RNA sequence: GCCGGGGUGGCGGAAUUGGUAGACGCGCCGGAUUCAAAAUCCGGUUCCUUUGCGGGAGUGAGAGUUCGAUUCUCUCCCUCGGCACCA
């Protein structure tokens, strides 16, 4: 009998797919298309188990869909720009490009060794000028259409290295290399008007049944639509300032105002107030990310300025507060400590008045009451509820011209400028006379020089390369300066899924083929991308649609968010030293085992706890399968057709098991996407077939059907071993191109079912009844059970609940 | 802090619509095979109690709804992910 040699088996199968170009696809209008995609990897070095898991998930779905007869696009590429390449460049004294290309080559060979069913002809890398030139082209179009603008924004500045730091490079408020205290610095940067699409991005979520509710909720909250009033407050010594509030009903409870440290009012007041100026400097050293803002100590300082309450005429102090965000609303808020948590905390700390203006009987001085209610202490507005008060105030301020209805979004415009080298150059030229000019389309792409040297500060080399940034103005042809910032790498990952449909097209960003394949039918990737990447990609898709490049509204029909791969309860990482190298496992057990284990260990959405023993188990299972099928083949039976009319009870049972498993596995892959239970069901079938010893003609026919069915169903998970078993079972063609098995409902008919008998909800017996037995006879059979009688005897039967084909519950007292 | 997940045997997990808690696998225990070991095969394996049949408890903690709750509701604890310059 043939022995199972994974390395030999896998080489054989991979060679077949390679020479026959099995997974190369082109549009075919005779077949239903299916586009299956995993989030592409950042080429950080070698593959890690998270990659293996991600790509095996899309692999199983892609191969399954192909066996359903669909025209399946399953591509792969590299998200090649990014910070780690620069870090490696500093550390290893190599150019980021060199490091990146070497990593891509390494990872490609690993992906090939895993036998993934990719169309390798469509491979792309985002650092390729043939890719990013179209990103630059799109940016120029958006620039011309006014969807791009430049404004000042905050960055982390390392004053020693004289460089901008990513949030990740700021550790406890200090630069990661220099250790210097990082400060906030404001510099002009480019923005995409994603907020123009906020409403559509929000509305479309209601029409995306293929996305997990959790992701849709996160995006909804991220967009954060809120309806409120924008109100103008007169500040006699400054002018008018606007605030945004969702709670105008609490306007009479305002006891102070607060503005962001970057607010013009704060800056002006600081010019004559050294203490305030010092406070603003302090604020500029605090981290500006949202988590830090929310958890830091709330601090403030009065500006000395007074605002006039628009309804009562009362004078209220204007404070600067470190928790007010310049980037949300107007950068100024009215503070109602009686009915807002944060205002309350601040008022207690600085001894500001707390007023009750919503009915209630708690101690408002001790605890704020944030629920809606009936207005009190609000003059003519007393007795109104939230909606009434909102409307009357809206009308009042609109008539006066000092307030207006305002829909606000928490979502901010997308800042795309990065002061980094290893990214796509922003195609802009600055001219002293003509201002910022887009690079003419004929001059695209602006190519990033790849032969560069990094110094120890980590600053971008192209900022010191006159041969890169010295140019002429495309309008007046006078000497001008090229933009040296590059794009946020989310720009590349926002449209790569579309470029896979036509990766070599050089006449435009996308060809007609895009609309054949798009939208992506199944997208798979880490849950950590639930908001940013997925929101940016959705935005980009709508932009591409509005440019007339594609005709769908959303990029990803169905989304599967996979959990992380853990070892010893922690995320695998080099610094923790708890990584597992998939390559070593492939060398030892083969790709099929690694793939099978990664699918079997946990359902895809959950985190996966690594287990060396579990891999051993997967390998053992494949060995057992191989052995059992080879043993069946070695017996050299003549396989005839099944005589369904004359089956023994055992034969009926094994046939039931085969077809029940087909239903289970198909549903688990297609609908539930719980691949672990699909594998468990196949293991059960393997166990059942192994135990089924029957040399009769029907027995052999059933075993043949069973093993063949199993080989087919396991093929998306373990395509190599099953391809060889398929050949050994004397089947023709490639298993990857075979039809998926279909359930024969006649095999699932059962005359008898087992039902559970409970007394007061506790299991007391199991009985077999006819499948079509009526309620009365089921009750009678259940009550006749000896162990049921023990618990019913001497008590009164209150009622009997019968769930057909499942259970009987006798309620006694 | 805010938003979104997760918590079930010794371990990974199963229970799909409120209906047998622990499928499948790992580990462990016992047996077969072997000169011996590895590998393989067979059997057992939630905990407590019982020779056995059986009984009791049990899904992070506490309450609630229900004939019946791992599943629904509320409060709390722990943990993971995201928070806009990591990708």
């Amino acid at each position: 009998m043939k022995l199972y040699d994974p390395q030999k088996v896998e080489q054989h199968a991979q060679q077949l797919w390679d020479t026959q170009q099995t997974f190369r696809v082109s549009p075919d209008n005779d077949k239903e298309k299916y586009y299956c995609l995993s989030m592409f990897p950042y080429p950080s070095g070698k593959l890690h188990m998270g990659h293996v898991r991600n790509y095996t998930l899309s692999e199983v779905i892609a191969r399954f869909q192909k066996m359903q007869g669909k025209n399946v696009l399953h591509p792969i590429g590299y998200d090649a720009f990014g910070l780690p390449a620069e870090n490696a460049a500093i550390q290893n004294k190599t150019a980021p490009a060199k490091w990146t290309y070497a990593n891509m080559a390494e990872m490609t060979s690993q992906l090939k060794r895993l036998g993934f069913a990719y169309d390798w002809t469509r491979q792309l890398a985002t650092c390729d000028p043939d890719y990013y030139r179209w990103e630059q082209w799109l940016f120029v179009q958006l620039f011309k259409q006014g969807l791009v603008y430049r404004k000042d924004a905050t960055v982390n500045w390392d004053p020693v290295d004289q460089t901008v730091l990513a949030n990740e490079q700021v550790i406890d408020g200090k630069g990661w290399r220099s250790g210097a205290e990082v400060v906030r610095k404001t510099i002009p940067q480019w923005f995409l008007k994603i907020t123009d699409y906020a409403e559509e991005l929000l509305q479309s979520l209601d029409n995306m049944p293929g996305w997990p509710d959790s992701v849709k909720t996160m995006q909804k909250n991220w967009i954060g639509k809120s309806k409120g009033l924008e109100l103008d407050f007169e500040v006699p010594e400054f002018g008018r300032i606007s605030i945004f509030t969702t709670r105008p009903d609490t306007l009479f409870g305002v006891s102070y105002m607060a503005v962001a440290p970057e607010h013009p009012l704060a800056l002006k007041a600081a010019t004559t107030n050294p203490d305030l100026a010092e406070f603003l400097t302090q604020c500029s050293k605090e981290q500006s990310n949202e988590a830090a803002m929310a958890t830091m100590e709330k601090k403030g300082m009065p500006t000395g300025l007074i605002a006039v309450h628009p309804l009562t005429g009362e004078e209220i102090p204007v404070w600067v507060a470190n928790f007010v965000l310049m980037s949300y609303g107007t950068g100024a808020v009215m503070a109602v400590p009686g009915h807002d948590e944060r205002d309350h905390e601040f008022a207690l700390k600085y001894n500001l008045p707390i007023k009750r203006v919503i009915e209630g009987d708690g101690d408002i001085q001790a605890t704020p009451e944030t629920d809606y209610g009936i207005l009190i202490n609000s003059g003519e507005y007393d007795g109104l509820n939230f909606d009434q008060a909102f409307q009357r105030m809206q009308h009042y301020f609109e008539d006066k011209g000092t307030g207006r209805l305002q829909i606000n979004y928490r979502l901010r415009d997308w800042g795309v400028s990065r002061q980094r080298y290893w990214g796509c150059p922003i195609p802009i030229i600055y001219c002293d006379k003509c201002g910022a000019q887009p690079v003419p389309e004929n001059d695209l792409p602006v190519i990033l020089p790849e032969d560069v040297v990094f110094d120890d500060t980590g600053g971008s080399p192209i900022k010191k390369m006159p041969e890169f940034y010295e140019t002429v103005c495309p309008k007046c042809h006078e000497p001008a300066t090229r933009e040296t910032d590059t794009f946020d790498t989310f720009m590349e990952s926002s449209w790569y899924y579309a470029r896979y449909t036509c990766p070599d097209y050089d006449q435009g960003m996308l060809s007609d083929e895009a609309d054949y394949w798009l939208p992506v039918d199944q997208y798979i990737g880490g849950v950590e991308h639930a908001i940013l990447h997925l929101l940016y990609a959705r935005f980009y898709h709508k932009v591409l649609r509005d440019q007339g490049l594609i005709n769908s509204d959303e990029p990803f029909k169905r989304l599967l968010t996979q959990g992380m791969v853990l070892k010893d309860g922690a995320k695998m990482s080099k610094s923790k030293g708890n990584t597992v190298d998939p390559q070593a496992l492939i060398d030892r057990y083969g790709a099929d085992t690694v793939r099978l284990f990664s699918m079997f260990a946990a359902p895809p959405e959950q985190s996966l706890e690594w287990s060396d023993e579990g891999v051993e188990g997967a390998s053992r299972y494949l060995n057992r399968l191989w052995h059992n099928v080879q043993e069946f083949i070695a017996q050299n039976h003549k396989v005839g057709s099944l005589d369904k009319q004359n089956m023994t009870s055992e034969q009926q049972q094994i046939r039931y098991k085969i077809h029940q498993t087909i239903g289970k596995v198909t549903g688990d892959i297609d609908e539930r996407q719980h691949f672990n239970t699909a594998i468990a069901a196949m293991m059960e079938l393997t166990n059942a077939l192994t135990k089924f010893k029957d040399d009769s003609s029907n027995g052999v026919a059933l075993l043949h059907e069973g093993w063949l069915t199993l080989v087919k169903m396991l093929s998306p998970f373990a395509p190599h071993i099953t391809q060889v078993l398929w050949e050994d079972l004397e089947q023709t063609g490639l298993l990857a191109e075979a039809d998926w098995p279909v359930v024969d409902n006649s095999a699932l008919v059962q005359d008898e079912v087992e039902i559970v008998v409970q007394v007061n909800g506790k299991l007391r017996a199991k009985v077999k009844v006819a499948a079509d037995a009526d309620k009365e006879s089921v009750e009678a059979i259940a009550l006749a059970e000896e162990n049921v009688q023990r618990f019913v005897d001497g008590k009164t039967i209150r009622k009997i609940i019968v769930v057909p084909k499942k259970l009987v519950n006798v309620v006694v007292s």
Side-chain angles (χ1 to χ4, degrees):
Chain A
M1 198 160 45
K2 277 170 84 176
L3 284 175
Y4 175 44
D5 178 350
Q7 308 300 333
K8 228 170 96 184
V9 160
E10 291 176 6
Q11 199 192 359
H12 168 75
Q14 286 171 15
Q15 211 157 31
L16 285 178
W17 303 326
D18 209 33
T19 52
Q20 303 194 22
Q21 305 239 26
T22 310
F23 305 108
R24 186 169 181 176
V25 281
S26 53
D28 178 352
N29 288 317
D30 294 336
K31 278 186 183 170
E32 192 181 334
K33 71 93 183 175
Y34 193 91
Y35 185 178
C36 185
L37 182 66
S38 283
M39 290 180 187
F40 62 169
Y42 177 79
S44 53
K46 291 180 174 183
L47 288 185
H48 55 68
M49 285 311 304
H51 291 131
V52 173
R53 190 183 194 194
N54 194 189
Y55 306 135
T56 306
L57 285 167
S58 64
E59 166 79 357
V60 169
I61 295 169
R63 284 183 181 264
F64 172 80
Q65 293 294 345
K66 188 175 174 68
M67 292 177 81
Q68 298 286 328
K70 294 180 188 164
N71 191 27
V72 177
L73 172 59
H74 186 215
I76 189 75
Y78 295 97
D79 188 15
F81 278 136
L83 198 54
E86 299 192 8
N87 299 339
I90 301 165
Q91 210 172 14
N92 308 331
K93 308 271 181 224
T94 50
K98 209 177 150 192
W99 182 84
T100 303
Y101 284 113
N103 289 347
M104 288 195 289
E106 169 81 22
M107 288 166 82
T108 296
S109 81
Q110 289 189 301
L111 289 169
K112 288 196 165 156
R113 179 61 192 84
L114 279 157
F116 290 137
Y118 294 128
D119 179 349
W120 285 101
T121 64
R122 292 173 184 264
Q123 191 178 0
L124 61 78
T126 58
C127 63
D128 184 343
D130 287 340
Y131 180 84
Y132 66 68
R133 67 176 291 196
W134 299 111
E135 193 170 300
Q136 295 176 338
W137 173 84
L138 183 73
F139 184 81
V140 170
Q141 310 310 308
L142 298 183
F143 180 94
K144 290 174 183 165
Q145 289 160 28
L147 277 163
V148 158
Y149 64 98
R150 198 170 186 233
K151 73 164 183 187
D152 279 349
T154 308
V155 294
N156 303 309
W157 180 252
D158 185 323
V160 170
D161 276 350
Q162 292 283 300
T163 182
V164 175
L165 300 177
N167 284 341
E168 189 188 55
Q169 297 171 316
V170 181
I171 295 148
D172 296 328
K174 296 188 171 65
W176 67 322
R177 300 186 74 84
S178 69
E181 200 157 316
V182 171
V183 296
R184 287 194 220 171
K185 189 179 172 187
T186 303
I187 56 172
Q189 304 186 57
W190 291 100
F191 285 79
L192 257 54
K193 282 192 186 168
I194 190 173
T195 53
D196 277 14
Y197 286 79
E199 192 60 34
E200 198 195 337
L201 287 166
L202 183 66
Q203 296 297 329
S204 316
L205 289 171
D206 291 335
N207 204 17
M208 292 162 63
W211 279 43
D213 287 336
S214 59
V215 174
K216 287 191 280 189
T217 305
M218 277 191 265
Q219 293 217 344
K220 199 172 189 165
N221 291 336
W222 184 263
I223 295 167
K225 181 180 183 176
S226 58
K227 184 181 137 186
L229 293 185
E230 194 177 273
L231 301 176
D232 302 335
F233 280 64
E234 210 60 53
V235 180
E237 290 170 55
F238 177 76
R240 213 173 246 198
I241 68 168
S242 298
I243 61 96
F244 172 77
T245 179
T246 57
R247 291 295 302 270
D249 58 318
T250 62
L251 188 52
F252 281 83
V254 171
S255 55
Y256 62 98
M257 292 183 69
V259 301
E262 298 90 358
H263 194 280
L265 183 147
L267 300 177
K268 191 187 170 201
T271 56
T272 55
N273 182 341
D275 286 349
L276 187 62
E278 171 59 23
F279 178 68
L280 297 189
T281 308
Q282 284 304 317
C283 288
S284 81
K285 284 181 186 165
E286 279 167 345
Q287 289 294 96
S288 60
N289 67 70
E290 199 184 312
M293 297 282 280
T295 47
M296 72 193 174
E297 194 192 344
K298 314 260 176 301
K299 283 186 284 193
M301 186 173 273
T303 59
L305 298 176
I306 295 297
V308 180
H309 192 288
L311 291 178
T312 64
E314 203 180 340
E315 292 192 334
I316 52 176
V318 181
W319 285 60
V320 176
N322 64 350
F323 61 83
V324 180
L325 295 167
M326 195 60 215
S327 52
Y328 180 76
T330 60
V333 296
M334 67 178 211
V336 185
H339 305 285
D340 180 275
E341 301 271 359
R342 205 176 45 186
D343 296 349
H344 193 272
E345 189 188 329
F346 195 81
L348 282 186
K349 182 167 180 179
Y350 293 106
N351 208 17
L352 293 155
I354 300 169
K355 292 183 228 169
R356 171 184 287 289
V357 290
I358 300 291
E359 216 169 63
D361 46 20
D363 177 7
I364 205 87
Q365 301 301 321
T367 320
E369 291 173 17
T370 56
D371 292 342
Y372 289 164
I374 302 300
L375 275 67
I376 56 169
N377 303 326
S378 298
E380 56 174 306
Y381 296 88
D382 279 359
L384 301 182
N385 66 22
F386 172 81
D387 289 321
Q388 295 163 332
F390 191 109
Q391 277 188 19
R392 277 191 47 186
M393 290 198 185
Q394 182 190 339
H395 290 141
Y396 173 83
F397 287 109
E398 278 175 354
D399 288 347
K400 274 193 80 178
T402 57
R404 56 217 70 91
L405 184 69
Q406 177 78 32
I407 303 295
N408 247 4
Y409 298 93
R410 206 184 73 96
L411 180 68
R412 310 199 291 259
D413 274 336
W414 180 8
V416 296
S417 294
R418 296 291 180 271
Q419 298 69 41
R420 274 179 244 304
Y421 158 73
W422 189 234
C424 169
I426 298 177
I428 291 288
I429 292 165
Y430 300 103
C431 172
D432 287 342
K433 221 163 69 192
C434 312
Q437 295 295 323
V439 173
E441 284 177 36
N442 289 339
D443 295 346
L444 294 178
V446 177
I447 293 182
L448 181 75
E450 293 191 352
D451 188 18
V452 295
V453 184
F454 265 77
D455 63 29
D456 283 340
T457 66
S460 169
I462 52 172
K463 292 190 184 294
K464 298 164 198 161
M465 284 172 64
E467 64 271 38
F468 176 77
Y469 64 72
E470 281 178 358
T471 185
V472 292
C473 172
K475 206 169 170 185
C476 70
H477 307 289
E478 294 293 314
T481 313
R482 196 181 287 289
E483 171 68 89
T484 54
D485 282 359
T486 54
F487 282 133
D488 177 5
T489 57
F490 276 125
M491 285 283 271
E492 288 89 53
S493 57
S494 292
W495 68 286
Y496 76 107
Y497 65 89
R499 185 68 181 175
Y500 277 138
T501 66
C502 51
D504 301 321
Y505 188 59
D506 59 2
Q507 302 301 303
M509 191 171 188
L510 298 173
S511 79
D512 292 345
E513 201 174 331
D515 276 329
Y516 173 81
W517 293 109
L518 293 173
V520 173
D521 293 277
Q522 176 71 62
Y523 195 37
I524 303 159
V527 65
E528 66 272 21
H529 297 292
I531 296 177
L532 290 179
H533 162 61
L534 287 169
L535 192 67
Y536 290 142
R538 292 182 59 218
F539 162 62
Y540 235 88
H541 196 85
K542 291 172 193 299
V543 167
L544 294 173
R545 175 200 62 194
D546 293 346
Q547 295 295 316
L549 291 161
I550 48 177
N551 63 19
S552 45
D553 294 323
E554 284 288 334
F556 313 120
K557 217 167 171 175
R558 195 173 180 188
L559 175 70
L560 176 60
T561 51
Q562 68 163 14
M564 290 185 312
V565 178
L566 310 176
K567 183 148 193 265
D568 310 321
K571 186 176 177 172
M572 282 190 185
S573 73
K574 281 180 194 161
S575 58
K576 290 195 195 98
N578 61 347
T579 53
V580 173
D581 181 8
Q583 191 60 51
L585 295 168
I586 296 167
D587 294 344
R588 183 159 171 204
Y589 300 102
D592 281 340
T593 290
V594 177
R595 295 165 53 126
L596 189 68
F597 171 73
S598 73
M599 292 298 97
F600 181 58
E605 289 96 338
Q606 279 179 41
S607 55
L608 185 157
E609 175 66 33
W610 184 259
S611 149
D612 292 332
E613 293 83 5
V615 182
E616 195 82 45
S619 168
R620 215 177 304 175
Y621 170 71
L622 292 179
N623 270 293
R624 209 160 54 228
L625 176 77
W626 174 274
H627 182 82
N628 286 322
V629 176
Q630 293 296 352
E631 196 174 66
F632 173 74
I633 293 165
Q635 284 162 1
N636 225 346
H637 293 293
K638 187 171 180 302
V639 180
S641 61
L642 181 68
D643 178 4
K644 289 187 198 172
Q645 306 310 315
N646 294 298
M647 283 193 288
T648 65
S649 145
E650 285 75 24
Q651 289 167 352
Q652 280 178 19
Q653 274 177 35
I654 197 77
R655 186 153 183 270
Y656 177 87
K657 187 75 189 171
I658 294 167
H659 285 269
Q660 183 218 31
T661 306
I662 297 172
K664 165 85 178 151
V665 172
T666 308
D668 277 357
I669 295 176
D670 201 14
E671 286 126 49
R672 291 214 309 156
Q673 302 186 319
H674 278 208
F675 307 104
N676 55 331
T677 51
I679 295 168
M682 288 189 276
M683 286 173 168
E684 281 188 66
L685 179 57
T686 309
N687 295 343
L689 289 170
T690 307
K691 284 203 179 92
F692 182 74
K693 309 280 186 201
D694 186 340
D695 283 342
S696 71
S697 129
N698 261 356
V700 168
L702 283 165
L703 277 170
H704 187 258
E705 182 191 2
W707 290 123
L708 205 55
T709 303
L710 194 55
V711 161
K712 281 188 189 178
M713 293 194 298
L714 193 64
S715 70
F717 301 88
H720 310 89
I721 185 175
T722 48
Q723 169 63 34
V724 173
L725 290 175
W726 172 261
E727 291 167 22
D728 292 348
L729 282 161
E730 294 176 348
Q731 303 298 307
T732 52
L734 284 176
L735 174 56
E737 287 167 342
D739 289 334
W740 190 256
V742 177
V743 178
D744 180 350
N745 285 316
S746 75
L748 299 180
V749 178
Q750 280 191 307
D751 324 329
E752 242 187 0
V753 288
E754 189 184 62
I755 65 165
V756 163
V757 186
Q758 300 178 330
V759 178
N760 282 351
K762 284 192 197 289
L763 176 68
R764 297 303 177 193
K766 293 177 186 180
V767 293
K768 286 215 163 134
V769 299
D772 56 357
D774 61 15
K775 192 168 181 266
E776 286 70 27
S777 55
V778 171
E779 278 181 20
I781 294 165
L783 284 170
E785 280 293 303
E786 194 192 327
N787 203 40
V788 174
Q789 275 304 314
R790 276 179 60 190
F791 291 89
V792 171
D793 197 33
K795 302 206 170 92
T796 315
I797 296 177
R798 295 290 169 202
K799 60 173 154 178
I800 301 180
I801 286 145
V802 179
V803 181
K805 295 183 184 178
K806 275 223 172 102
L807 98 167
V808 174
N809 188 11
V810 183
V811 185
V812 299
S813 64

